[in-house]
Amino acid sequence: MTQHVQQPTPQEDLATIAKLIKGVHIAMLTFRNAAGHLHAQPMTTQEKDFDGVLWFVASKESDLVRSVEQNMAVNVSYSESGRGYVSLYGNAELVTDQAKLHELWNDIYQSYFPGGEQDPNVQLIKVTVHGAHYWESDGKLNNILQVAKTFVTGEKPHFGEGGSVKL
């Protein structure tokens, strides 16, 4: 008898990714720098519901912004111990949108941009996500119990569920 595994819908995949990144305050945004090397830069996560687009605030003078002008392919990764991780890939673009900047502005940016939202060095980066790979953990306690179970029974541990999605 063949067993059919029901694949998640795109909306369920989006919801899983949104759940994994919600509340994670720092993302690592990876880009290819001018020398052609991969470089990962920590970026503040916006407290917005994930809808397939990620927004970041950066400096126009940063390697990130200069690199995105030349190569828009990026990866954004989130991880939180005990919850899982998600690695998102897509294209970044530099956006000038004062209304969007105002919507996303947080007082923490003031320390980087003394001129506030009007600082001429502020640059919005919009990442349109094309796909992701994720791993949803069953939690730290379960992982410890799974390791112990493996030692006792020899059974393969179950640490959670993962998947790859295209958006």
Side-chain angles (χ1 to χ4, degrees), residues 2-23:
T2 303
Q3 185 178 17
H4 294 284
V5 177
Q6 177 127 4
Q7 295 297 315
T9 67
Q11 293 80 11
E12 290 169 331
D13 284 333
L14 202 61
T16 297
I17 293 167
K19 181 174 76 172
L20 287 170
I21 66 176
K22 187 171 184 68

Side-chain angles (χ1 to χ4, degrees), residues 111-157:
S111 61
Y112 297 102
F113 305 104
E117 293 178 47
Q118 303 304 319
D119 193 304
N121 200 28
V122 175
Q123 178 63 65
L124 281 176
I125 299 175
K126 176 184 178 182
V127 177
T128 302
V129 176
H130 299 299
H133 180 76
Y134 64 90
W135 187 267
E136 190 172 13
S137 173
D138 291 334
K140 288 181 188 179
L141 180 59
N142 182 69
N143 291 348
I144 292 168
L145 293 173
Q146 288 294 319
V147 169
K149 179 181 171 185
T150 298
F151 283 121
V152 173
T153 67
E155 293 178 17
K156 184 176 178 181

Side-chain angles (χ1 to χ4, degrees), residues 7 23-24 35 61-62 69 78-79 108 117 120 123-124 133:
Q7 295 297 315
V24 181
E61 298 173 355
S62 67
E69 289 174 328
Y78 294 86
S79 178
I108 193 76
E117 293 178 47
Q123 178 63 65
L124 281 176
H133 180 76

Side-chain angles (χ1 to χ4, degrees), residues 41-78:
Q41 180 170 324
M43 300 295 289
T44 301
T45 299
Q46 301 300 319
E47 294 297 324
K48 303 292 176 199
D49 290 333
F50 178 70
D51 61 359
V53 173
L54 299 168
W55 289 92
F56 298 99
V57 176
S59 167
K60 287 182 180 177
E61 298 173 355
S62 67
D63 285 341
L64 170 60
V65 168
R66 285 190 295 273
S67 296
V68 165
E69 289 174 328
Q70 303 302 312
N71 183 348
M72 58 193 219
V74 297
N75 179 276
V76 181
S77 58
Y78 294 86

Side-chain angles (χ1 to χ4, degrees), residues 79-117:
S79 178
E80 186 161 19
S81 181
R83 269 184 47 200
Y85 77 87
V86 61
S87 175
L88 307 149
Y89 62 89
N91 291 332
E93 64 181 291
L94 305 178
V95 174
T96 303
D97 182 335
Q98 200 61 39
K100 181 54 104 173
L101 179 61
H102 181 73
E103 174 190 333
L104 300 174
W105 189 259
N106 183 313
D107 289 338
I108 193 76
Y109 296 128
Q110 195 72 34
S111 61
Y112 297 102
F113 305 104
E117 293 178 47

